[in-house]
Amino acid sequence: ATGVMKTIGDAVAGLTDVKTLIPVLEALGGRHAKYGVQPEHFAIVGQALLWTLEQGLGELWIPEVKDAWTRTYSTIEKVMEPALVRAHRASERTEPGRASSPGALAALRGKAPAELVQATWKLVAADLESHAIKFFLRIFEIAPPALQLFSFKDEVPLAQSPGMKKHATGVMKTIGDAVAGLTDVKTLIPVLEALGGRHAQY
């Protein structure tokens, strides 16, 4: 659940119409308090996602691409984290493969942040399952207790866990949906609303 929240935040923070999206993101942040997400989880999963993208993009992980993805995540984190904290406080009052091509590298120069995110995501998505597994394993390397949030926590070896592979791939597909909607907020909002609703079952 923590991974879903933060990776979606990473994907959508560079939207050109953030004001329209803010109420949706605030609601998402608040709902995540119900299943144990804490403010420190933002940094953990954000770090893991950026690492995964760097591994997948290789030399295409140029400063402009890193900056675009970092700003994309940072903006949404700044909206969702305060909402999460407010929800926790309210609860307490009432009652947790590399891509490489000189041509592709040149093509990234001069693109707007949203275009950089979309272009580089296509390269990562070409080997989605592999990167999904790397992403989740990295989360658990950074914060081992986070594994306890997931139903596949007892499946070993974890790297070959069918449950983790299914969940991780689903997360990455949702990121892809969000990235595709970077320039179309109206299309993206239902994706995020559906994501928030699904998390209630966790």
Side-chain angles (χ1 to χ4, degrees):
T2 305
V4 176
M5 176 182 69
K6 295 180 182 178
T7 54
I8 292 300
D10 245 299
V12 302
L15 288 170
T16 56
D17 189 8
V18 175
K19 289 183 180 179
T20 301
L21 197 56
I22 283 177
V24 176
L25 294 171
E26 288 179 332
L28 277 173
R31 284 197 293 270
H32 278 76
K34 298 178 181 178
Y35 46 87
V37 173
Q38 299 295 326
E40 57 267 28
H41 292 160
F42 284 97
I44 292 169
V45 180
Q47 182 182 343
L49 180 63
L50 291 177
W51 179 88
T52 303
L53 291 166
E54 181 179 5
Q55 297 304 301
L57 294 171
E59 68 178 25
L60 300 184
W61 189 248
I62 58 177
E64 294 93 329
V65 173
K66 180 179 180 180
D67 180 67
W69 277 98
T70 301
R71 285 194 290 150
T72 293
Y73 170 70
S74 178
T75 301
I76 296 306
E77 179 184 2
K78 289 176 181 177
V79 175
M80 294 182 69
E81 183 174 345
L84 176 69
V85 171
R86 289 194 298 270
H88 275 304
R89 288 175 179 170
S91 177
E92 289 171 1
R93 287 194 298 269
T94 59
E95 190 195 48
R98 291 181 177 267
S100 178
S101 167
L105 183 61
L108 295 176
R109 304 291 184 183
K111 287 184 177 292
E115 293 175 321
L116 284 171
V117 169
Q118 290 177 327
T120 53
W121 182 256
K122 287 181 181 179
L123 300 173
V124 172
D127 191 12
L128 192 68
E129 184 176 293
S130 174
H131 290 305
I133 293 171
K134 287 180 182 179
F135 173 41
F136 266 68
L137 289 177
R138 183 61 173 175
I139 290 174
F140 303 140
E141 286 177 9
I142 297 170
L147 178 60
Q148 300 307 309
L149 294 171
F150 298 90
S151 61
F152 50 78
K153 62 181 182 239
D154 297 321
E155 296 181 15
V156 292
L158 189 60
Q160 299 174 23
S161 160
M164 188 186 75
K165 179 165 62 174
K166 180 179 179 181
H167 188 88
T169 302
V171 170
M172 296 294 266
K173 287 180 179 179
T174 304
I175 295 174
D177 290 339
V179 169
L182 282 173
T183 53
D184 184 358
V185 175
K186 290 182 179 179
T187 299
L188 183 58
I189 285 177
V191 174
L192 295 173
E193 289 179 331
L195 174 68
R198 286 197 298 272
H199 277 77
Q201 64 185 316
Y202 302 155

